[in-house]
Amino acid sequence: LRSRMATSMRSKSMATPDIQTFVDRVHETGYCLIPDVIPEANCQSLHAHLISVGEKLRREEIYASQQVSAVKGLLGVDQSVAEYLADERVLAILGQLLGDNLRISFCSLLTNEPGKERTDMHADWPFNQNNACHIPTPYPDLLMHTTALLMVSPFTKENGGTIVVPGSHQRTTNPTDKHAGIDSLAAQPDEQRITGPAGSLLLMDSRLWHAAPENRSSEPRVCVAIRYAPWWLNLEPLDPKSELRRQWVEERGLKENDQSRIPREAYERLPEKAKPLLRHWVES
């Protein structure tokens, strides 16, 4: 019996890497895949619910010709994924990567429709050089922001599991830099496609080069994109109501991501463990 228990414990340990293993993988490759953030039993109903949310709300076309749609400021209109954003393992990993006093910078529901084509290879805010407020290249080798994709659909080769370039987070530029001479739509020789079951969370250093490939399946691929920031990173450029955004973005006629503030009543419905991550976005 003791031998069987030991074997079972070893198998469980092998199946679920410890926190340091995930942290090391992000440092080394730029990303890690965390399993079972959403319990398997909840995935199907959550998928159906978020499809409904996307259909009821105004859907913004990010790439009109490539059939990607988004619901920005998701937590202000729907709190169904809120408990997963404060998953204990995810926050433990982020705590080692970004330090204490984490904040969510923005959260969007993303749907890749059937027939969607491949989109540009890029790095995310604040490293995307197309944004008004970005860290200019060559940027330093410092992890300043993370991008997480909560996989409500399974990521497969058919429906467009995210493409990543392992190790590209250690480069000083990315394909959005027009001076780098990189064809952002061309396949990179060292790119890999992330596949995994629904309920997983793909966590990336936001410097990592990545792209959304084509969706050749007959079903939409649904995920929730959450960005986590350290306490010191300035998020005011993302706030449509901030004076800094007016100065740095609107008055200059530039483009920038935005995150709508969360109405007080919606914030109060959030799980207690998620509130510290979002307190800065509450409508005053």
Side-chain angles (χ1 to χ4, degrees):
L1 176 60
R2 186 175 302 166
S3 176
R4 288 198 300 270
M5 289 177 63
T7 301
S8 175
M9 291 176 65
R10 284 196 300 270
S11 297
K12 185 175 181 181
S13 176
M14 292 174 64
T16 307
D18 61 24
I19 298 303
Q20 190 60 49
T21 299
F22 289 119
V23 171
D24 291 344
R25 182 160 179 80
V26 173
H27 282 309
E28 292 166 6
T29 68
Y31 71 95
C32 68
L33 189 64
I34 307 167
D36 304 318
V37 173
I38 305 172
E40 182 179 0
N42 297 354
C43 288
Q44 187 171 356
S45 60
L46 182 61
H47 184 277
H49 172 74
L50 290 177
I51 289 287
S52 176
V53 169
E55 290 174 347
K56 289 178 181 177
L57 297 177
R58 181 176 178 271
R59 300 162 69 106
E60 177 184 355
E61 293 299 323
I62 300 177
Y63 298 97
S65 64
Q66 297 168 322
Q67 294 181 275
V68 179
S69 58
V71 175
K72 292 183 178 180
L74 176 64
L75 298 175
V77 294
D78 183 84
Q79 295 80 46
S80 59
V81 300
E83 64 180 295
Y84 308 122
L85 311 189
D87 176 86
E88 183 177 350
R89 287 175 302 154
V90 173
L91 294 186
I93 296 165
L94 289 168
Q96 291 201 41
L97 293 173
L98 297 174
D100 296 331
N101 303 316
L102 297 169
R103 300 187 294 170
I104 288 178
S105 48
F106 41 106
C107 179
S108 305
L109 171 63
L110 299 179
T111 305
N112 289 2
E113 305 290 353
K116 175 202 167 295
E117 297 299 327
R118 175 171 172 146
T119 53
D120 294 42
M121 185 73 71
H122 63 283
D124 279 347
W125 187 92
F127 302 99
N128 189 316
Q129 304 298 295
N130 294 321
N131 293 130
C133 299
H134 62 266
I135 297 170
T137 59
Y139 43 71
D141 184 11
L142 177 64
L143 198 162
M144 305 183 200
H145 194 246
T146 60
T147 299
L149 299 181
L150 185 60
M151 296 157 53
V152 183
S153 298
F155 277 26
T156 68
K157 291 182 178 179
E158 291 72 27
N159 72 6
T162 300
I163 292 172
V164 301
V165 179
S168 57
H169 64 303
Q170 296 174 334
R171 302 174 190 177
T172 59
T173 189
N174 68 73
T176 65
D177 179 5
K178 63 182 180 180
H179 302 296
I182 302 166
D183 183 352
S184 62
L185 284 174
Q188 300 298 309
D190 48 352
E191 69 180 34
Q192 296 179 8
R193 186 172 301 206
I194 302 298
T195 60
S200 306
L201 183 139
L202 173 61
L203 180 63
M204 300 182 287
D205 183 322
S206 293
R207 295 174 294 172
L208 187 74
W209 298 15
H210 61 282
E214 63 281 358
N215 182 355
R216 297 306 184 204
S217 75
S218 60
E219 299 292 333
R221 194 211 74 181
V222 180
C223 73
V224 176
I226 317 109
R227 276 78 173 191
Y228 296 89
W231 64 267
W232 49 263
L233 187 64
N234 188 356
L235 303 183
E236 288 188 70
L238 304 176
D239 181 359
K241 296 187 176 182
S242 78
E243 180 59 33
L244 285 180
R245 184 182 178 91
R246 281 191 286 273
Q247 292 179 28
W248 296 346
V249 181
E250 296 169 8
E251 291 178 4
R252 300 177 184 180
L254 302 176
K255 295 181 180 180
E256 184 52 272
N257 293 305
D258 61 88
Q259 169 69 40
S260 301
R261 290 184 173 240
I262 300 174
R264 172 65 64 176
E265 60 272 18
Y267 175 78
E268 295 300 337
R269 292 195 295 270
L270 294 172
E272 289 301 318
K273 64 180 182 179
K275 287 181 178 179
L277 299 168
L278 293 153
R279 192 172 296 152
H280 57 290
W281 283 129
V282 181
E283 188 75 67
S284 58

